[in-house]
Amino acid sequence: MHLLIVEDETKTAAYLRRGLQENGFRVDVAANGIDGLHRALEGAHDLIVLDVMLPHLDGWHVLQELRAAERTTPVLLLTARDGVDDRVKGLEGGADDYLVKPFAFSELLARIRVVLRRAQPQSEPVVTVADLVLDVLTRRAMRQEARIDLTAREFALLWLLMRHAGEVLSRTLISEKVWDMNFDGDSNVVEVAIRRLRRKVDAPFDAPLIHTVRGMGYVLEAR
Ligand code: CA
C-alpha cells in the first residue's frame, strides 16, 4: 500500500514516514499544500494523510481541488482543532476520516487500516496459494495450520508474491514495490530477503512455493 503524507512539520512528517514504513507501507511526503496537491493528483496513492494547516495551500483547498478533479483517493485529515464545524466541513468536503492532533501513532495506523479496508471492499482480505494463507488484516501467514511470523518487510514481500502468484517478478520490480527504491545491480538485498522468506515459508514444508527463475526473478506458485 502506497501512502502520501502532506505535512509541513518536518519532525512529524519524518516520524510518520518512519512508523508507516515500519508497518509495511510505501510512503511519500509532501511538505506544503501545492506540492501535496500535485502529488495527490498523480493518483498513485492508496490513501492520503492530509494536514489541514499547511503553507501555500491549506488542507481544505487541497481536498477541494482533489475532489473537484474527481480523484477518489481516500483522505484522512489531520486537524489541530476539534471544532464540530471543522469535522463537518472535512467530512462534507470529501474526507474519509479525520484525526485531531496530537494523536497516538497507533490510532493513526488503526484509522488508516479502517479507511483502506472500507475503500476496497472488493479486495480479498485473505490470499491463498496452495496450503499457504496470508491474512492481510491480521498480517499473519499460515501454512498447514502452522503460524508463520513475518516482519513487516517479509509480509510486504510475501503479499506481493502471492497477489501475483504464477507471475515472474523481477528483482527490480520487487525492490520498487517492497523497498520503494531501485537497488543497483550489485545489491543482493532482494536475494537476501527471499532467502529469509524461504526459510520461513518453504524450508519447514515438503513442497517449495517460492521459485527462482534464472535471469528473470522469482515466482510463487505450487508446482
Ligand atoms: Ca501543519
Side-chain angles (χ1 to χ4, degrees), residues 115-181:
V115 171
L116 285 173
R117 205 179 311 167
R118 214 164 46 199
Q120 300 178 316
Q122 76 285 9
S123 82
E124 191 52 60
V126 175
V127 190
T128 305
V129 177
D131 55 4
L132 176 63
V133 180
L134 190 67
D135 187 320
V136 178
L137 301 182
T138 62
R139 309 174 76 76
R140 273 186 201 149
M142 302 276 293
R143 195 164 176 195
Q144 293 173 12
E145 308 297 312
R147 169 146 166 216
I148 302 167
D149 289 315
L150 300 169
T151 64
R153 200 72 82 182
E154 289 165 350
F155 172 85
L157 178 57
L158 185 58
W159 193 44
L160 177 71
L161 289 166
M162 288 183 78
R163 272 183 303 155
H164 296 276
E167 290 172 41
V168 180
L169 304 182
S170 69
R171 285 184 184 82
T172 307
L173 183 137
I174 292 171
S175 66
E176 275 174 16
K177 297 275 183 194
V178 177
W179 282 266
D180 197 16
M181 62 180 82

Short mmCIF file of all heavy atoms in Angstrom, two decimals, residues 115-181:
data_model
loop_
_atom_site.label_atom_id
_atom_site.label_comp_id
_atom_site.label_asym_id
_atom_site.label_seq_id
_atom_site.Cartn_x
_atom_site.Cartn_y
_atom_site.Cartn_z
N VAL A 115 -9.87 2.86 6.94
CA VAL A 115 -10.22 3.60 5.71
C VAL A 115 -9.83 2.78 4.48
O VAL A 115 -10.59 2.69 3.51
CB VAL A 115 -9.56 5.00 5.69
CG1 VAL A 115 -9.76 5.66 4.34
CG2 VAL A 115 -10.15 5.89 6.79
N LEU A 116 -8.66 2.17 4.51
CA LEU A 116 -8.21 1.38 3.36
C LEU A 116 -9.14 0.19 3.13
O LEU A 116 -9.49 -0.14 2.01
CB LEU A 116 -6.78 0.87 3.58
CG LEU A 116 -5.67 1.90 3.42
CD1 LEU A 116 -4.34 1.31 3.84
CD2 LEU A 116 -5.60 2.41 1.98
N ARG A 117 -9.55 -0.44 4.21
CA ARG A 117 -10.43 -1.60 4.13
C ARG A 117 -11.77 -1.18 3.52
O ARG A 117 -12.33 -1.85 2.67
CB ARG A 117 -10.63 -2.16 5.53
CG ARG A 117 -11.00 -3.62 5.58
CD ARG A 117 -11.16 -4.06 7.01
NE ARG A 117 -10.04 -3.67 7.86
CZ ARG A 117 -10.05 -3.72 9.18
NH1 ARG A 117 -11.12 -4.12 9.84
NH2 ARG A 117 -8.99 -3.37 9.88
N ARG A 118 -12.29 -0.04 4.01
CA ARG A 118 -13.57 0.46 3.54
C ARG A 118 -13.49 0.86 2.07
O ARG A 118 -14.43 0.68 1.32
CB ARG A 118 -13.94 1.69 4.37
CG ARG A 118 -15.41 1.84 4.61
CD ARG A 118 -15.68 2.81 5.73
NE ARG A 118 -14.89 4.03 5.62
CZ ARG A 118 -14.67 4.86 6.63
NH1 ARG A 118 -15.13 4.60 7.82
NH2 ARG A 118 -13.96 5.95 6.46
N ALA A 119 -12.34 1.39 1.69
CA ALA A 119 -12.18 1.87 0.31
C ALA A 119 -12.07 0.71 -0.68
O ALA A 119 -12.28 0.90 -1.86
CB ALA A 119 -10.95 2.76 0.21
N GLN A 120 -11.72 -0.45 -0.19
CA GLN A 120 -11.51 -1.57 -1.10
C GLN A 120 -12.29 -2.80 -0.66
O GLN A 120 -11.70 -3.83 -0.35
CB GLN A 120 -10.03 -1.91 -1.19
CG GLN A 120 -9.23 -0.72 -1.68
CD GLN A 120 -7.77 -0.99 -1.73
OE1 GLN A 120 -7.20 -1.57 -0.80
NE2 GLN A 120 -7.13 -0.60 -2.80
N PRO A 121 -13.63 -2.67 -0.60
CA PRO A 121 -14.42 -3.80 -0.11
C PRO A 121 -14.30 -5.02 -1.02
O PRO A 121 -14.53 -6.13 -0.57
CB PRO A 121 -15.86 -3.25 -0.12
CG PRO A 121 -15.84 -2.13 -1.09
CD PRO A 121 -14.46 -1.57 -1.06
N GLN A 122 -13.91 -4.76 -2.27
CA GLN A 122 -13.83 -5.89 -3.21
C GLN A 122 -12.53 -6.67 -3.05
O GLN A 122 -12.42 -7.77 -3.52
CB GLN A 122 -13.99 -5.40 -4.65
CG GLN A 122 -12.77 -4.72 -5.28
CD GLN A 122 -12.56 -3.30 -4.77
OE1 GLN A 122 -13.21 -2.85 -3.83
NE2 GLN A 122 -11.63 -2.59 -5.38
N SER A 123 -11.53 -6.03 -2.39
CA SER A 123 -10.26 -6.74 -2.30
C SER A 123 -10.33 -7.82 -1.21
O SER A 123 -10.84 -7.59 -0.12
CB SER A 123 -9.11 -5.77 -2.02
OG SER A 123 -9.05 -5.48 -0.65
N GLU A 124 -9.83 -8.96 -1.56
CA GLU A 124 -9.93 -10.13 -0.68
C GLU A 124 -8.95 -9.97 0.48
O GLU A 124 -7.75 -9.82 0.26
CB GLU A 124 -9.58 -11.37 -1.53
CG GLU A 124 -9.88 -12.68 -0.88
CD GLU A 124 -11.30 -12.78 -0.35
OE1 GLU A 124 -12.24 -12.67 -1.16
OE2 GLU A 124 -11.46 -12.96 0.86
N PRO A 125 -9.44 -9.99 1.73
CA PRO A 125 -8.50 -9.80 2.85
C PRO A 125 -7.64 -11.03 3.12
O PRO A 125 -6.66 -10.95 3.85
CB PRO A 125 -9.42 -9.52 4.04
CG PRO A 125 -10.73 -10.12 3.68
CD PRO A 125 -10.83 -10.08 2.18
N VAL A 126 -8.03 -12.16 2.54
CA VAL A 126 -7.23 -13.37 2.74
C VAL A 126 -6.79 -13.90 1.37
O VAL A 126 -7.61 -14.08 0.48
CB VAL A 126 -8.04 -14.46 3.48
CG1 VAL A 126 -7.23 -15.75 3.58
CG2 VAL A 126 -8.42 -13.97 4.87
N VAL A 127 -5.49 -14.06 1.20
CA VAL A 127 -4.96 -14.57 -0.06
C VAL A 127 -4.46 -15.99 0.18
O VAL A 127 -3.76 -16.24 1.17
CB VAL A 127 -3.78 -13.69 -0.56
CG1 VAL A 127 -3.40 -14.07 -1.98
CG2 VAL A 127 -4.16 -12.22 -0.49
N THR A 128 -4.83 -16.92 -0.70
CA THR A 128 -4.44 -18.31 -0.53
C THR A 128 -3.74 -18.82 -1.79
O THR A 128 -4.23 -18.61 -2.89
CB THR A 128 -5.69 -19.18 -0.27
OG1 THR A 128 -6.39 -18.65 0.85
CG2 THR A 128 -5.31 -20.62 0.03
N VAL A 129 -2.60 -19.46 -1.60
CA VAL A 129 -1.93 -20.16 -2.70
C VAL A 129 -1.54 -21.53 -2.15
O VAL A 129 -0.78 -21.61 -1.20
CB VAL A 129 -0.68 -19.41 -3.21
CG1 VAL A 129 0.01 -20.22 -4.31
CG2 VAL A 129 -1.04 -18.03 -3.73
N ALA A 130 -2.10 -22.57 -2.76
CA ALA A 130 -1.92 -23.94 -2.27
C ALA A 130 -2.27 -23.99 -0.78
O ALA A 130 -3.35 -23.55 -0.41
CB ALA A 130 -0.50 -24.44 -2.56
N ASP A 131 -1.35 -24.43 0.08
CA ASP A 131 -1.68 -24.53 1.50
C ASP A 131 -1.17 -23.32 2.30
O ASP A 131 -1.13 -23.34 3.52
CB ASP A 131 -1.13 -25.84 2.10
CG ASP A 131 0.36 -26.00 1.85
OD1 ASP A 131 0.99 -25.06 1.30
OD2 ASP A 131 0.90 -27.06 2.20
N LEU A 132 -0.78 -22.29 1.59
CA LEU A 132 -0.29 -21.07 2.24
C LEU A 132 -1.39 -20.01 2.25
O LEU A 132 -1.98 -19.70 1.22
CB LEU A 132 0.94 -20.55 1.48
CG LEU A 132 1.55 -19.22 1.94
CD1 LEU A 132 2.09 -19.32 3.37
CD2 LEU A 132 2.67 -18.79 0.99
N VAL A 133 -1.66 -19.48 3.44
CA VAL A 133 -2.74 -18.50 3.59
C VAL A 133 -2.16 -17.24 4.22
O VAL A 133 -1.48 -17.30 5.24
CB VAL A 133 -3.86 -19.06 4.50
CG1 VAL A 133 -4.99 -18.03 4.66
CG2 VAL A 133 -4.41 -20.37 3.94
N LEU A 134 -2.46 -16.09 3.61
CA LEU A 134 -1.99 -14.82 4.16
C LEU A 134 -3.20 -13.96 4.48
O LEU A 134 -4.01 -13.67 3.62
CB LEU A 134 -1.09 -14.12 3.15
CG LEU A 134 -0.32 -12.90 3.66
CD1 LEU A 134 0.71 -13.30 4.70
CD2 LEU A 134 0.37 -12.17 2.52
N ASP A 135 -3.30 -13.56 5.73
CA ASP A 135 -4.41 -12.70 6.15
C ASP A 135 -3.89 -11.27 6.21
O ASP A 135 -3.04 -10.94 7.03
CB ASP A 135 -4.92 -13.15 7.53
CG ASP A 135 -6.19 -12.38 7.92
OD1 ASP A 135 -6.24 -11.15 7.66
OD2 ASP A 135 -7.10 -13.00 8.48
N VAL A 136 -4.42 -10.44 5.31
CA VAL A 136 -3.90 -9.09 5.15
C VAL A 136 -4.25 -8.22 6.36
O VAL A 136 -3.51 -7.31 6.71
CB VAL A 136 -4.46 -8.48 3.84
CG1 VAL A 136 -3.99 -7.05 3.66
CG2 VAL A 136 -4.03 -9.34 2.66
N LEU A 137 -5.37 -8.49 7.00
CA LEU A 137 -5.79 -7.65 8.13
C LEU A 137 -5.01 -7.96 9.40
O LEU A 137 -4.56 -7.05 10.09
CB LEU A 137 -7.29 -7.78 8.36
CG LEU A 137 -8.15 -7.38 7.15
CD1 LEU A 137 -9.62 -7.51 7.48
CD2 LEU A 137 -7.83 -5.97 6.68
N THR A 138 -4.85 -9.23 9.70
CA THR A 138 -4.08 -9.57 10.90
C THR A 138 -2.59 -9.69 10.59
O THR A 138 -1.77 -9.81 11.48
CB THR A 138 -4.55 -10.92 11.50
OG1 THR A 138 -4.32 -11.96 10.53
CG2 THR A 138 -6.02 -10.88 11.84
N ARG A 139 -2.25 -9.64 9.29
CA ARG A 139 -0.86 -9.73 8.83
C ARG A 139 -0.19 -11.01 9.30
O ARG A 139 0.96 -11.01 9.70
CB ARG A 139 -0.08 -8.50 9.29
CG ARG A 139 -0.80 -7.21 8.94
CD ARG A 139 -0.10 -6.02 9.52
NE ARG A 139 1.09 -5.70 8.78
CZ ARG A 139 1.11 -5.11 7.60
NH1 ARG A 139 0.00 -4.78 7.02
NH2 ARG A 139 2.23 -4.85 7.00
N ARG A 140 -0.97 -12.10 9.22
CA ARG A 140 -0.42 -13.40 9.61
C ARG A 140 -0.40 -14.35 8.43
O ARG A 140 -1.31 -14.34 7.62
CB ARG A 140 -1.29 -14.03 10.68
CG ARG A 140 -0.91 -13.60 12.05
CD ARG A 140 -1.70 -14.37 13.06
NE ARG A 140 -1.70 -13.62 14.30
CZ ARG A 140 -2.68 -13.63 15.17
NH1 ARG A 140 -3.74 -14.37 14.96
NH2 ARG A 140 -2.61 -12.92 16.27
N ALA A 141 0.63 -15.18 8.42
CA ALA A 141 0.67 -16.24 7.41
C ALA A 141 0.50 -17.57 8.11
O ALA A 141 0.97 -17.76 9.24
CB ALA A 141 1.99 -16.19 6.65
N MET A 142 -0.19 -18.49 7.45
CA MET A 142 -0.37 -19.85 7.98
C MET A 142 -0.05 -20.82 6.86
O MET A 142 -0.43 -20.60 5.71
CB MET A 142 -1.85 -20.09 8.36
CG MET A 142 -2.43 -19.15 9.39
SD MET A 142 -2.05 -19.65 11.08
CE MET A 142 -2.97 -21.18 11.21
N ARG A 143 0.66 -21.91 7.22
CA ARG A 143 0.84 -22.96 6.24
C ARG A 143 0.62 -24.28 6.95
O ARG A 143 1.26 -24.56 7.97
CB ARG A 143 2.24 -22.89 5.62
CG ARG A 143 2.30 -23.74 4.38
CD ARG A 143 3.48 -23.46 3.47
NE ARG A 143 3.41 -24.44 2.39
CZ ARG A 143 4.39 -24.72 1.57
NH1 ARG A 143 5.53 -24.08 1.65
NH2 ARG A 143 4.23 -25.65 0.63
N GLN A 144 -0.27 -25.08 6.42
CA GLN A 144 -0.64 -26.36 7.03
C GLN A 144 -0.92 -26.18 8.53
O GLN A 144 -0.37 -26.88 9.37
CB GLN A 144 0.45 -27.40 6.82
CG GLN A 144 0.61 -27.79 5.36
CD GLN A 144 1.81 -28.69 5.11
OE1 GLN A 144 2.41 -29.21 6.04
NE2 GLN A 144 2.15 -28.87 3.85
N GLU A 145 -1.71 -25.17 8.84
CA GLU A 145 -2.13 -24.90 10.23
C GLU A 145 -1.00 -24.38 11.11
O GLU A 145 -1.20 -24.15 12.30
CB GLU A 145 -2.74 -26.16 10.90
CG GLU A 145 -3.85 -26.84 10.10
CD GLU A 145 -5.08 -25.95 9.89
OE1 GLU A 145 -5.54 -25.34 10.87
OE2 GLU A 145 -5.54 -25.84 8.74
N ALA A 146 0.19 -24.21 10.56
CA ALA A 146 1.29 -23.67 11.36
C ALA A 146 1.40 -22.17 11.11
O ALA A 146 1.39 -21.73 9.97
CB ALA A 146 2.60 -24.35 10.98
N ARG A 147 1.48 -21.41 12.18
CA ARG A 147 1.57 -19.97 12.04
C ARG A 147 3.01 -19.57 11.70
O ARG A 147 3.97 -20.06 12.28
CB ARG A 147 1.14 -19.32 13.36
CG ARG A 147 1.46 -17.87 13.39
CD ARG A 147 0.46 -17.09 14.15
NE ARG A 147 1.04 -15.77 14.40
CZ ARG A 147 0.84 -15.09 15.50
NH1 ARG A 147 0.10 -15.60 16.46
NH2 ARG A 147 1.38 -13.92 15.65
N ILE A 148 3.15 -18.66 10.75
CA ILE A 148 4.47 -18.17 10.34
C ILE A 148 4.55 -16.70 10.72
O ILE A 148 3.75 -15.89 10.27
CB ILE A 148 4.65 -18.33 8.82
CG1 ILE A 148 4.49 -19.79 8.39
CG2 ILE A 148 6.01 -17.79 8.38
CD1 ILE A 148 4.33 -19.99 6.89
N ASP A 149 5.51 -16.36 11.56
CA ASP A 149 5.68 -14.96 11.96
C ASP A 149 6.55 -14.24 10.94
O ASP A 149 7.62 -14.72 10.58
CB ASP A 149 6.33 -14.88 13.34
CG ASP A 149 5.35 -15.32 14.42
OD1 ASP A 149 4.18 -14.87 14.37
OD2 ASP A 149 5.74 -16.12 15.29
N LEU A 150 6.07 -13.09 10.50
CA LEU A 150 6.79 -12.34 9.48
C LEU A 150 7.09 -10.92 9.97
O LEU A 150 6.28 -10.33 10.67
CB LEU A 150 5.91 -12.23 8.21
CG LEU A 150 5.48 -13.52 7.53
CD1 LEU A 150 4.43 -13.22 6.48
CD2 LEU A 150 6.66 -14.24 6.92
N THR A 151 8.22 -10.40 9.55
CA THR A 151 8.48 -8.97 9.80
C THR A 151 7.64 -8.19 8.80
O THR A 151 7.09 -8.75 7.85
CB THR A 151 9.97 -8.64 9.54
OG1 THR A 151 10.24 -8.86 8.15
CG2 THR A 151 10.90 -9.49 10.39
N ALA A 152 7.56 -6.86 9.00
CA ALA A 152 6.74 -6.02 8.10
C ALA A 152 7.24 -6.16 6.66
O ALA A 152 6.45 -6.24 5.72
CB ALA A 152 6.81 -4.56 8.54
N ARG A 153 8.55 -6.20 6.47
CA ARG A 153 9.12 -6.29 5.14
C ARG A 153 8.84 -7.66 4.51
O ARG A 153 8.51 -7.77 3.33
CB ARG A 153 10.63 -6.05 5.22
CG ARG A 153 11.23 -5.66 3.91
CD ARG A 153 10.85 -4.27 3.49
NE ARG A 153 11.68 -3.27 4.12
CZ ARG A 153 11.53 -1.95 3.94
NH1 ARG A 153 10.56 -1.50 3.18
NH2 ARG A 153 12.30 -1.11 4.55
N GLU A 154 8.97 -8.69 5.31
CA GLU A 154 8.68 -10.04 4.81
C GLU A 154 7.21 -10.17 4.43
O GLU A 154 6.86 -10.79 3.43
CB GLU A 154 9.04 -11.09 5.87
CG GLU A 154 10.53 -11.25 6.07
CD GLU A 154 10.90 -11.99 7.35
OE1 GLU A 154 10.00 -12.24 8.20
OE2 GLU A 154 12.07 -12.32 7.51
N PHE A 155 6.36 -9.55 5.24
CA PHE A 155 4.94 -9.56 4.93
C PHE A 155 4.69 -8.89 3.57
O PHE A 155 4.00 -9.42 2.71
CB PHE A 155 4.14 -8.83 6.01
CG PHE A 155 2.69 -8.64 5.65
CD1 PHE A 155 1.77 -9.64 5.90
CD2 PHE A 155 2.27 -7.49 5.02
CE1 PHE A 155 0.44 -9.48 5.52
CE2 PHE A 155 0.95 -7.31 4.63
CZ PHE A 155 0.03 -8.32 4.89
N ALA A 156 5.29 -7.71 3.39
CA ALA A 156 5.10 -6.96 2.13
C ALA A 156 5.59 -7.78 0.94
O ALA A 156 4.95 -7.82 -0.12
CB ALA A 156 5.83 -5.62 2.21
N LEU A 157 6.72 -8.45 1.13
CA LEU A 157 7.30 -9.26 0.05
C LEU A 157 6.41 -10.46 -0.27
O LEU A 157 6.10 -10.75 -1.44
CB LEU A 157 8.71 -9.72 0.47
CG LEU A 157 9.48 -10.62 -0.48
CD1 LEU A 157 9.63 -9.98 -1.85
CD2 LEU A 157 10.87 -10.93 0.11
N LEU A 158 5.96 -11.15 0.77
CA LEU A 158 5.12 -12.33 0.56
C LEU A 158 3.77 -11.93 -0.05
O LEU A 158 3.25 -12.59 -0.94
CB LEU A 158 4.91 -13.07 1.88
CG LEU A 158 4.13 -14.39 1.77
CD1 LEU A 158 4.82 -15.37 0.81
CD2 LEU A 158 3.95 -15.04 3.15
N TRP A 159 3.25 -10.81 0.40
CA TRP A 159 1.96 -10.34 -0.11
C TRP A 159 2.07 -10.04 -1.61
O TRP A 159 1.21 -10.39 -2.41
CB TRP A 159 1.51 -9.09 0.67
CG TRP A 159 0.09 -8.73 0.42
CD1 TRP A 159 -0.99 -9.58 0.36
CD2 TRP A 159 -0.43 -7.42 0.17
NE1 TRP A 159 -2.14 -8.87 0.11
CE2 TRP A 159 -1.82 -7.55 -0.01
CE3 TRP A 159 0.14 -6.16 0.10
CZ2 TRP A 159 -2.64 -6.46 -0.28
CZ3 TRP A 159 -0.67 -5.08 -0.15
CH2 TRP A 159 -2.05 -5.23 -0.34
N LEU A 160 3.17 -9.39 -1.98
CA LEU A 160 3.41 -9.07 -3.40
C LEU A 160 3.48 -10.37 -4.22
O LEU A 160 2.82 -10.50 -5.25
CB LEU A 160 4.71 -8.27 -3.54
CG LEU A 160 5.12 -7.93 -4.97
CD1 LEU A 160 4.18 -6.87 -5.56
CD2 LEU A 160 6.55 -7.41 -5.01
N LEU A 161 4.27 -11.32 -3.74
CA LEU A 161 4.43 -12.59 -4.48
C LEU A 161 3.10 -13.34 -4.59
O LEU A 161 2.78 -13.92 -5.63
CB LEU A 161 5.47 -13.47 -3.78
CG LEU A 161 6.93 -13.01 -3.89
CD1 LEU A 161 7.80 -13.76 -2.88
CD2 LEU A 161 7.47 -13.22 -5.30
N MET A 162 2.32 -13.30 -3.50
CA MET A 162 1.06 -14.06 -3.50
C MET A 162 -0.01 -13.40 -4.37
O MET A 162 -0.79 -14.07 -5.02
CB MET A 162 0.55 -14.26 -2.07
CG MET A 162 1.41 -15.26 -1.29
SD MET A 162 0.79 -15.56 0.37
CE MET A 162 -0.59 -16.69 0.05
N ARG A 163 -0.04 -12.07 -4.37
CA ARG A 163 -1.02 -11.38 -5.22
C ARG A 163 -0.72 -11.63 -6.69
O ARG A 163 -1.59 -11.52 -7.54
CB ARG A 163 -1.00 -9.87 -4.95
CG ARG A 163 -1.93 -9.46 -3.82
CD ARG A 163 -1.91 -7.96 -3.67
NE ARG A 163 -0.53 -7.52 -3.44
CZ ARG A 163 -0.08 -6.32 -3.73
NH1 ARG A 163 -0.86 -5.41 -4.25
NH2 ARG A 163 1.17 -6.00 -3.48
N HIS A 164 0.56 -11.88 -6.98
CA HIS A 164 0.95 -12.12 -8.37
C HIS A 164 1.38 -13.58 -8.55
O HIS A 164 2.31 -13.86 -9.31
CB HIS A 164 2.08 -11.18 -8.76
CG HIS A 164 1.66 -9.74 -8.75
ND1 HIS A 164 1.03 -9.14 -9.82
CD2 HIS A 164 1.73 -8.80 -7.78
CE1 HIS A 164 0.76 -7.88 -9.50
NE2 HIS A 164 1.17 -7.65 -8.27
N ALA A 165 0.73 -14.47 -7.82
CA ALA A 165 1.09 -15.90 -7.90
C ALA A 165 1.08 -16.35 -9.36
O ALA A 165 0.17 -16.02 -10.12
CB ALA A 165 0.11 -16.72 -7.07
N GLY A 166 2.12 -17.09 -9.73
CA GLY A 166 2.19 -17.60 -11.09
C GLY A 166 2.88 -16.64 -12.07
O GLY A 166 3.20 -17.02 -13.19
N GLU A 167 3.10 -15.40 -11.62
CA GLU A 167 3.80 -14.43 -12.48
C GLU A 167 5.24 -14.29 -12.00
O GLU A 167 5.48 -14.21 -10.80
CB GLU A 167 3.19 -13.03 -12.34
CG GLU A 167 1.81 -12.84 -12.90
CD GLU A 167 1.26 -11.46 -12.50
OE1 GLU A 167 2.03 -10.47 -12.54
OE2 GLU A 167 0.09 -11.39 -12.13
N VAL A 168 6.16 -14.22 -12.96
CA VAL A 168 7.56 -14.00 -12.58
C VAL A 168 7.76 -12.51 -12.30
O VAL A 168 7.44 -11.67 -13.13
CB VAL A 168 8.51 -14.45 -13.71
CG1 VAL A 168 9.96 -14.21 -13.30
CG2 VAL A 168 8.30 -15.93 -14.03
N LEU A 169 8.27 -12.20 -11.09
CA LEU A 169 8.52 -10.81 -10.72
C LEU A 169 10.02 -10.56 -10.71
O LEU A 169 10.77 -11.31 -10.08
CB LEU A 169 7.93 -10.52 -9.33
CG LEU A 169 6.43 -10.82 -9.14
CD1 LEU A 169 5.99 -10.44 -7.73
CD2 LEU A 169 5.58 -10.09 -10.16
N SER A 170 10.45 -9.51 -11.40
CA SER A 170 11.88 -9.21 -11.46
C SER A 170 12.36 -8.62 -10.14
O SER A 170 11.57 -8.08 -9.37
CB SER A 170 12.16 -8.24 -12.61
OG SER A 170 11.61 -6.97 -12.28
N ARG A 171 13.68 -8.68 -9.95
CA ARG A 171 14.26 -8.08 -8.73
C ARG A 171 13.99 -6.58 -8.70
O ARG A 171 13.74 -6.01 -7.65
CB ARG A 171 15.77 -8.31 -8.70
CG ARG A 171 16.13 -9.73 -8.34
CD ARG A 171 17.65 -9.90 -8.23
NE ARG A 171 17.96 -11.29 -7.98
CZ ARG A 171 18.03 -12.22 -8.91
NH1 ARG A 171 17.81 -11.91 -10.19
NH2 ARG A 171 18.29 -13.47 -8.61
N THR A 172 14.04 -5.96 -9.87
CA THR A 172 13.80 -4.51 -9.94
C THR A 172 12.38 -4.19 -9.48
O THR A 172 12.16 -3.29 -8.67
CB THR A 172 14.00 -4.01 -11.38
OG1 THR A 172 15.27 -4.44 -11.83
CG2 THR A 172 13.90 -2.51 -11.47
N LEU A 173 11.44 -4.94 -9.99
CA LEU A 173 10.04 -4.68 -9.62
C LEU A 173 9.84 -4.92 -8.12
O LEU A 173 9.21 -4.13 -7.43
CB LEU A 173 9.09 -5.57 -10.43
CG LEU A 173 7.61 -5.31 -10.17
CD1 LEU A 173 6.83 -5.31 -11.48
CD2 LEU A 173 7.00 -6.33 -9.21
N ILE A 174 10.43 -6.00 -7.62
CA ILE A 174 10.30 -6.31 -6.19
C ILE A 174 10.91 -5.19 -5.35
O ILE A 174 10.32 -4.74 -4.37
CB ILE A 174 10.94 -7.68 -5.86
CG1 ILE A 174 10.12 -8.81 -6.52
CG2 ILE A 174 11.03 -7.89 -4.35
CD1 ILE A 174 10.77 -10.18 -6.44
N SER A 175 12.09 -4.71 -5.76
CA SER A 175 12.74 -3.66 -4.94
C SER A 175 11.93 -2.37 -4.99
O SER A 175 11.85 -1.65 -4.00
CB SER A 175 14.19 -3.43 -5.37
OG SER A 175 14.25 -2.89 -6.67
N GLU A 176 11.29 -2.09 -6.12
CA GLU A 176 10.44 -0.89 -6.21
C GLU A 176 9.22 -1.00 -5.32
O GLU A 176 8.84 -0.06 -4.63
CB GLU A 176 9.95 -0.71 -7.65
CG GLU A 176 10.92 0.03 -8.54
CD GLU A 176 10.41 0.04 -9.98
OE1 GLU A 176 9.22 -0.24 -10.23
OE2 GLU A 176 11.25 0.30 -10.85
N LYS A 177 8.58 -2.17 -5.37
CA LYS A 177 7.30 -2.32 -4.67
C LYS A 177 7.49 -2.51 -3.16
O LYS A 177 6.67 -2.05 -2.38
CB LYS A 177 6.53 -3.54 -5.21
CG LYS A 177 6.15 -3.41 -6.66
CD LYS A 177 4.85 -2.66 -6.81
CE LYS A 177 4.45 -2.61 -8.27
NZ LYS A 177 3.39 -1.64 -8.52
N VAL A 178 8.54 -3.23 -2.78
CA VAL A 178 8.69 -3.57 -1.36
C VAL A 178 9.58 -2.57 -0.63
O VAL A 178 9.34 -2.26 0.53
CB VAL A 178 9.21 -5.01 -1.20
CG1 VAL A 178 9.45 -5.36 0.27
CG2 VAL A 178 8.24 -6.00 -1.84
N TRP A 179 10.59 -2.04 -1.32
CA TRP A 179 11.51 -1.10 -0.66
C TRP A 179 11.33 0.32 -1.15
O TRP A 179 11.98 1.23 -0.70
CB TRP A 179 12.97 -1.53 -0.87
CG TRP A 179 13.38 -2.65 0.01
CD1 TRP A 179 13.99 -2.55 1.23
CD2 TRP A 179 13.22 -4.06 -0.24
NE1 TRP A 179 14.21 -3.80 1.74
CE2 TRP A 179 13.75 -4.75 0.86
CE3 TRP A 179 12.69 -4.79 -1.29
CZ2 TRP A 179 13.76 -6.13 0.96
CZ3 TRP A 179 12.69 -6.17 -1.21
CH2 TRP A 179 13.21 -6.83 -0.09
N ASP A 180 10.46 0.48 -2.15
CA ASP A 180 10.20 1.80 -2.70
C ASP A 180 11.47 2.41 -3.27
O ASP A 180 11.70 3.61 -3.18
CB ASP A 180 9.62 2.71 -1.60
CG ASP A 180 8.96 3.93 -2.20
OD1 ASP A 180 8.69 3.93 -3.41
OD2 ASP A 180 8.72 4.89 -1.45
N MET A 181 12.35 1.59 -3.81
CA MET A 181 13.57 2.13 -4.43
C MET A 181 14.15 1.09 -5.37
O MET A 181 13.78 -0.08 -5.34
CB MET A 181 14.60 2.47 -3.36
CG MET A 181 15.05 1.29 -2.54
SD MET A 181 16.26 1.74 -1.30
CE MET A 181 15.23 2.34 0.01
#
